[in-house]
Amino acid sequence: MTIRLLPQNLINQIAAGEVVERPSSALKELIENAVDAGATRIDIKIQNGGKTFFSVTDNGKGMTKEELTLAVERHATSKLPHDDLFEINFLGFRGEALPSIGSVAKLSLSSRTPDSTEAWNIKVEGGHKFPPVPTAHPIGTTVEVKELFFATPARLKFLKSDQSEYLSVKEIVNRIAMAYPNIQFILSDEKRQILNYPIVSDLFDRVGQVIGKSFRENAVPIDEVYDDMSLKGFVSLPTYSRSTGAEQYLFVNGRFIRDKIVIGAVRGAYQGLIGHDSYPVLALFLKLSNENVDVNVHPAKIEVRFKESAKIRGFLVAAIRNALAQNGFKTSSAIGIGALEKSQPQTFPPRKHIGVIENNRQMQMMSDVVSDVVPSQWATDYTLPHIGYSVKKDMPDTVPDEKHFSDSQQNNVPNESFVSEKKESSDSFPPLGYAKAQLYKTYIISQTLDSIVITDQHAAHERLTYEKLAHNMATHAQTQLLLIPEVIELSPDETAILNTRADELKDMGFIIDTFGRDCVAVREIPALLSQTDIQKLVQDLADTILEYDDTVLLKDKIKDICARIACHGSVRAGRVLTIDEMNALLRQMEECPTAGQCIHGRPTYIELKLNDIERLFGRKK
């Protein structure tokens, strides 16, 4: 077969296969061109999800007749003035979008510059270029695309439904609008206006426009600088999460990206704060010098390559962790509000004669419930009318004096786990309030100045235990020498990889030596892991190192083990606590930056504001 040069139109169609996958990908290129043109308003219109028609109109600097002619040629661009691929300060720069779209659709460009009294229009249909002609148009540019893929009908079958294509277009507009609050974005279809994001002066306002009010109420701000890098944006509280990563908006130098380094850094920052199947909501804007990032690695420009990926990952993890820590033990406001919204007053039928059996059954039910409230030494008797059963009331309004509870109490929680605060005045409330009762041997009810707080005692203490374990591991905690080394049989590859990583394992508190051909001898382990199944632990470590060969993941594996220990070593649901113990737990939570959620990402407490409760009962509107 003879080698030959492909015809220009076929070259353009091949390029279109990379750049123009669907209407949204073509619109992305056109909207980015409008942003680069200095527009302050961009109007996007679509029909049938963009399959039959879409257009982008901007009020940017426009193009002259000569520039319009060049714009539909391959590799023609105004965005590389110094011919340096690492000095890219624009979104679009490859110079392939317009000729690629024109090769598979009917393309029309109309434009006018500020210093010109006349506008020009040029058309490209299925790769055939028409000469420019005069037209009427305000300052700026309009690009219209009709019958996408009419010149390559085989590609039409790969397009999805109108609704799917519409959702993809909407997501593209959201991504670009997020990064440019100084531009108004309007999206319309053949029936209505879908989106209208007016210009705002604050990035947080634009983020709120796109993601929504709920995120604004549960977002933590980030503003960090390190060397030539800066990170701004907002991340959600760990208890405010989604089941997918669809609402994670990540930008590098104003460009939306999907990069495994950045995504991995986000995951690492939330490790131990959120469940493995949950994803935080966020909008992060990373800026760094052009020489440290290559954006020219993918036709769609959604992937980038970092020069110092480890440094960037560390910066991102530290910045996110710091932001979450500065917001203390705060938990999602949507949880308490959601609970109230689901609460509906119940209407009971008129009571008829109650027989002795039914009355006894009600008395037993009351007994079951009340037995789960705090012990009787903190209450006086009160007799319920018509039932004849004593329940507790008048819980103390102040915190009792400092007190420890004994090791003999169930679950073997150490003495230092709960240390009570001194008495406070009745008009002074700490953030989580003062404990009033324990319900169902699981939930602590406390009162603040303007709210009621319900705390899951197991989830809360689980978080505190985990933080202690993780801290001790990170600071080279005390190790425990095994009187009899644990000999564990592994595969040859697992034995070899543990031997290779012996120094790193030693730094983490593990002394593991080769023992024979396919065995290792475990001589020391971190003291905090003394109650762990050593064989399973070492097998897990070997499997992880062998699969990923990554020291960061190795440390993460240890954190997972800490999480399991914390879960089993914490105050369990079903245990009766004293008022001292409940208040001490609340005070420790207030000192822990991550106490708002357990290690599985679930909330440790919810807060019901008094105003909301009063509205629920009709006291306020």
Side-chain angles (χ1 to χ4, degrees):
M1 183 178 292
T2 304
I3 297 176
R4 67 184 179 93
L5 290 173
L6 295 174
Q8 189 63 40
N9 188 51
L10 186 56
I11 292 173
N12 288 341
Q13 290 181 357
I14 293 173
E18 297 178 337
V19 179
V20 187
E21 299 177 4
R22 57 197 304 190
S24 60
S25 59
L27 271 168
K28 170 182 176 293
E29 301 289 337
L30 301 183
I31 298 172
E32 287 180 345
N33 284 343
V35 172
D36 289 338
T40 58
R41 173 176 170 141
I42 300 175
D43 287 85
I44 305 105
K45 297 180 180 179
I46 62 173
Q47 294 178 9
N48 302 110
K51 291 190 287 186
T52 58
F53 173 85
F54 57 85
S55 69
V56 176
T57 300
D58 68 69
N59 63 350
K61 62 183 180 181
M63 290 179 281
T64 65
K65 174 184 176 181
E66 293 74 23
E67 288 174 329
L68 274 176
T69 304
L70 283 174
V72 294
E73 297 291 336
R74 289 198 72 207
H75 305 307
T77 183
S78 61
K79 302 165 187 178
L80 287 173
H82 306 295
D83 297 335
D84 185 354
L85 280 177
F86 287 94
E87 193 59 37
I88 298 170
N89 298 306
F90 299 93
L91 294 178
F93 61 89
R94 294 172 67 92
E96 293 181 354
L98 292 175
S100 297
I101 295 171
S103 70
V104 296
K106 297 178 180 179
L107 175 70
S108 173
L109 285 83
S110 299
S111 192
R112 176 186 159 197
T113 59
D115 57 355
S116 176
T117 58
E118 59 181 355
W120 293 88
N121 171 269
I122 191 169
K123 288 183 171 62
V124 183
E125 295 186 2
H128 177 69
K129 301 179 181 67
F130 295 87
V133 296
T135 190
H137 195 276
I139 295 172
T141 302
T142 294
V143 183
E144 294 183 345
V145 178
K146 299 178 181 179
E147 300 180 43
L148 185 64
F149 299 135
F150 92 96
T152 54
R155 299 195 61 191
L156 285 171
K157 64 183 180 181
F158 292 100
L159 295 181
K160 298 182 180 180
S161 67
D162 291 357
Q163 178 68 11
S164 294
E165 297 298 342
Y166 149 74
L167 291 175
S168 181
V169 168
K170 184 179 178 182
E171 179 61 21
I172 288 295
V173 176
N174 280 337
R175 291 175 182 178
I176 301 176
M178 180 89 72
Y180 295 92
N182 59 329
I183 302 175
Q184 180 179 13
F185 290 85
I186 300 174
L187 172 63
S188 307
D189 64 11
E190 57 269 40
K191 297 179 181 178
R192 61 189 176 91
Q193 187 179 93
I194 301 167
L195 299 174
N196 187 347
Y197 298 139
I199 295 174
V200 290
S201 58
D202 191 293
L203 179 63
F204 192 38
D205 291 336
R206 175 54 58 85
V207 171
Q209 287 175 347
V210 176
I211 302 182
K213 179 182 177 182
S214 180
F215 174 69
R216 288 171 58 97
E217 296 172 346
N218 295 281
V220 174
I222 293 180
D223 191 353
E224 298 284 351
V225 177
Y226 178 71
D227 286 352
D228 64 338
M229 301 181 293
S230 69
L231 182 69
K232 292 186 177 182
F234 311 91
V235 297
S236 68
L237 295 168
T239 46
Y240 184 88
S241 60
R242 296 288 183 266
S243 58
T244 71
E247 291 193 27
Q248 293 187 346
Y249 295 89
L250 308 169
F251 300 85
V252 172
N253 293 347
R255 186 188 308 278
F256 177 86
I257 65 162
R258 283 290 187 202
D259 180 82
K260 63 180 181 179
I261 298 297
V262 179
I263 293 174
V266 170
R267 200 70 188 168
Y270 276 86
Q271 186 184 26
L273 303 176
I274 197 169
H276 70 279
D277 56 350
S278 299
Y279 298 81
V281 181
L282 51 86
L284 292 177
F285 303 84
L286 175 65
K287 288 188 177 181
L288 62 165
S289 60
N290 289 327
E291 64 182 14
N292 286 328
V293 57
D294 184 3
V295 299
N296 194 25
V297 297
H298 189 275
K301 303 184 289 294
I302 201 170
E303 297 177 8
V304 296
R305 182 182 294 118
F306 295 110
K307 185 177 180 180
E308 298 178 289
S309 58
K311 176 181 176 182
I312 290 172
R313 185 188 191 279
F315 172 57
L316 293 172
V317 171
I320 297 172
R321 278 278 186 176
N322 184 51
L324 293 174
Q326 287 179 354
N327 282 267
F329 53 88
K330 186 179 178 183
T331 190
S332 171
S333 63
I335 298 172
I337 295 173
L340 285 175
E341 289 176 346
K342 292 178 180 179
S343 300
Q344 297 294 333
Q346 298 184 35
T347 302
F348 296 96
R351 292 176 62 97
K352 297 182 179 180
H353 175 71
I354 300 176
V356 176
I357 296 178
E358 182 180 351
N359 196 23
N360 289 341
R361 184 168 62 250
Q362 287 190 345
M363 292 176 62
Q364 182 60 46
M365 290 171 62
M366 282 298 301
S367 175
D368 292 341
V369 172
V370 175
S371 66
D372 288 337
V373 185
V374 291
S376 59
Q377 61 262 34
W378 307 310
T380 58
D381 287 343
Y382 175 71
T383 302
L384 285 178
H386 310 302
I387 295 182
Y389 188 82
S390 297
V391 297
K392 286 81 179 177
K393 73 164 195 173
D394 295 332
M395 298 301 171
D397 288 329
T398 56
V399 181
D401 291 334
E402 185 172 25
K403 177 183 179 181
H404 296 262
F405 68 94
S406 67
D407 285 336
S408 62
Q409 289 179 299
Q410 54 182 307
N411 290 325
N412 298 319
V413 182
N415 284 345
E416 66 269 21
S417 293
F418 296 109
V419 179
S420 184
E421 294 283 330
K422 296 294 183 181
K423 289 185 177 180
E424 300 281 351
S425 61
S426 59
D427 60 349
S428 173
F429 287 90
L432 291 180
Y434 295 137
K436 295 295 182 181
Q438 180 193 29
L439 298 182
Y440 303 106
K441 301 177 185 176
T442 302
Y443 301 104
I444 298 171
I445 310 300
S446 58
Q447 175 187 342
T448 74
L449 188 62
D450 62 349
S451 66
I452 295 172
V453 178
I454 306 173
T455 301
D456 183 329
Q457 66 189 42
H458 171 66
H461 196 247
E462 181 183 66
R463 162 58 61 190
L464 298 175
T465 304
Y466 170 82
E467 293 297 338
K468 181 179 179 181
L469 287 166
H471 173 74
N472 288 346
M473 291 291 292
T475 54
H476 304 289
Q478 183 179 7
T479 61
Q480 177 173 314
L481 178 66
L482 302 181
L483 295 178
I484 301 176
E486 183 92 13
V487 178
I488 302 171
E489 184 177 356
L490 301 170
S491 71
D493 289 341
E494 292 168 339
T495 302
I497 199 68
L498 287 179
N499 184 55
T500 303
R501 295 297 184 88
D503 291 340
E504 297 166 26
L505 290 169
K506 183 178 180 180
D507 289 339
M508 297 170 64
F510 295 91
I511 303 297
I512 302 177
D513 299 327
T514 303
F515 190 85
R517 182 177 178 181
D518 297 331
C519 295
V520 295
V522 183
R523 304 187 186 280
E524 288 186 38
I525 61 172
L528 289 168
L529 303 181
S530 60
Q531 302 301 314
T532 304
D533 184 335
I534 297 176
Q535 181 170 346
K536 187 177 187 306
L537 169 63
V538 173
Q539 182 69 62
D540 285 350
L541 287 174
D543 291 342
T544 301
I545 301 172
L546 195 62
E547 181 177 358
Y548 297 105
D549 194 29
D550 191 318
T551 56
V552 173
L553 291 171
L554 174 59
K555 294 177 181 178
D556 289 349
K557 189 68 177 178
I558 297 298
K559 290 183 179 179
D560 288 340
I561 295 168
C562 288
R564 289 200 297 270
I565 296 174
C567 184
H568 293 292
S570 303
V571 172
R572 310 299 293 178
R575 170 180 171 178
V576 176
L577 300 179
T578 68
I579 284 287
D580 267 357
E581 293 166 355
M582 288 186 275
N583 278 306
L585 178 61
L586 298 178
R587 301 294 80 79
Q588 288 192 28
M589 289 175 64
E590 292 163 353
E591 296 296 324
C592 177
T594 56
Q597 56 283 319
C598 74
I599 58 178
H600 310 293
R602 296 188 293 269
T604 56
Y605 73 92
I606 63 172
E607 184 176 17
L608 307 177
K609 289 294 185 181
L610 180 59
N611 285 338
D612 294 328
I613 296 173
E614 289 181 334
R615 281 197 295 268
L616 186 66
F617 283 96
R619 289 179 172 269
K620 286 187 178 181
K621 295 183 179 180

